[in-house]
Structure formats: C-alpha cells, structure tokens
Amino acid sequence: MEFVFVGGDPALDLVGTVQRRRTLARDLLREPADLGAWTAAAGLVDQPVQAGPEELEQAHRLREAVYRLGLAAVAGEPYPTADRRLLNRLADGPVLGLDLRPDGTLRRTGSAAAVLATVARSAQELFALPLGAPIRECASEPCTRLYVDRSRRGVRRWCEMAGCGNRAKAAAFRERHPG
C-alpha cells in the first residue's frame, strides 16, 4: 500500500488516504485490512489492528468529516455542525494501550475503535481555537492533501517538496524555458 504521511497530524494523514479527490479519486482504504495496515504504518499501533466492515465505514465517515472540517479551517469558515458532532462523539471512544518497556521503547496496542478515537482527539486539538494549527491544502492542482504548515514564515505551498513541490517547480521551469 502507498500510504504517505505528510499531513503533520494523524487526522490529516487519514484524510490523505484519498488521493486526488477532485479528479481521479483513489481510495487507499478499500478493505478492512487496508485500515489495519494504515494504523500500523501511521505509527498509532505497533501491529495492524483487526478491522471489519463497520470499522472501515466509521473510518471513512471520520476521514470525510475531518476533510470538511479542514477545508472550513483553510477557508476561515465555521465548522460544519454534523462533522463537529461526529468528531466529538468518536473522540469519546476507547484509548490506545501504551506500555513503557525496560529498554525505553513504547509498545502501542489497541482496537480499531481506539485508533479512530485517537485520530478524532488529534483532530479536535488540531482544529481548536485560538491556537488551531495553520492548515493548508496543497497548491498542486490535482493534489487535495491537507497539511499543517509549520514553515518558519507560514507560507508552505505543497504537501511535500519531494513530490508536489518538485513537479510544480519543474513545470514552472519548463514554462519559462520552452524547447
């Protein structure tokens, strides 16, 4: 699976599991096993969680709510009520198990519901004012990833320089230097 973690927050990385939403949308969470794989790849748990169709549907609902909340944050608009309520409800779910081992490593375990609750809580903190994170949408036309802009001047344009940023700069160069 081609998961990419450039959002700067687990909630925005969950949103990024749909690529190119406005053109050739590609959902990376098609099966319950995909959700399990994402939970471990995101570093939320050490081993993929067991997920069924219900958990996958809940992950899709959370993902789309966070996307709409993120777009509202980008536009400086009020958060949609239904999405905010869903986020708050899911955030009340179970917590992940953490176990500090003698060697200083941390073991992370939990259910799909605990992972989704963790992602929802992360989104709550991300969108909370007055210190809500500066959320941006990638300036690359086909890309629809949301990310936290932690650049020094707050002017980051692309979700990742190695992908979208590079393509945009190469296209601008070709436009300035035809032939």
Side-chain angles (χ1 to χ4, degrees):
M1 198 53 58
E2 304 169 16
F3 299 122
V4 177
F5 300 94
V6 296
D9 185 272
L12 298 182
D13 287 331
L14 178 63
V15 168
T17 61
V18 174
Q19 300 173 332
R20 300 173 182 242
R21 288 171 178 270
R22 290 188 286 274
T23 55
L24 302 170
R26 180 175 174 226
D27 190 346
L28 300 179
L29 301 181
R30 293 181 302 273
E31 302 290 329
D34 298 336
L35 175 59
W38 181 85
T39 64
L44 297 167
V45 288
D46 294 343
Q47 299 295 318
V49 299
Q50 292 295 315
E54 184 177 307
E55 289 88 1
L56 181 62
E57 174 60 29
Q58 196 155 17
H60 287 165
R61 290 178 52 224
L62 174 60
R63 177 181 67 192
E64 297 312 307
V66 170
Y67 181 64
R68 289 186 295 269
L69 290 163
L71 290 179
V74 168
E77 297 174 353
Y79 296 137
T81 301
D83 295 327
R84 192 175 39 77
R85 286 183 178 155
L86 174 69
L87 187 70
N88 290 334
R89 185 174 54 76
L90 291 177
D92 281 339
V95 297
L96 291 173
L98 301 176
D99 182 33
L100 181 63
R101 296 177 177 165
D103 65 356
T105 60
L106 193 61
R107 182 173 176 240
R108 294 173 175 86
T109 60
S111 64
V115 169
L116 295 178
T118 299
V119 171
R121 284 189 287 275
S122 183
Q124 285 177 316
E125 291 187 26
L126 182 67
F127 297 130
L129 295 175
L131 299 176
I135 299 167
R136 309 276 187 261
E137 185 174 26
C138 185
S140 177
E141 187 57 35
C143 184
T144 56
R145 287 189 190 126
L146 298 176
Y147 61 91
V148 177
D149 182 359
R150 290 193 173 98
S151 64
R152 185 183 316 175
R153 295 186 309 154
V155 294
R156 183 172 148 199
R157 297 185 56 210
W158 301 287
C159 62
E160 63 174 336
M161 191 59 206
C164 291
N166 235 6
R167 283 188 292 276
K169 287 187 174 207
F173 179 84
R174 285 190 302 274
E175 191 173 298
R176 287 191 312 272
H177 302 91

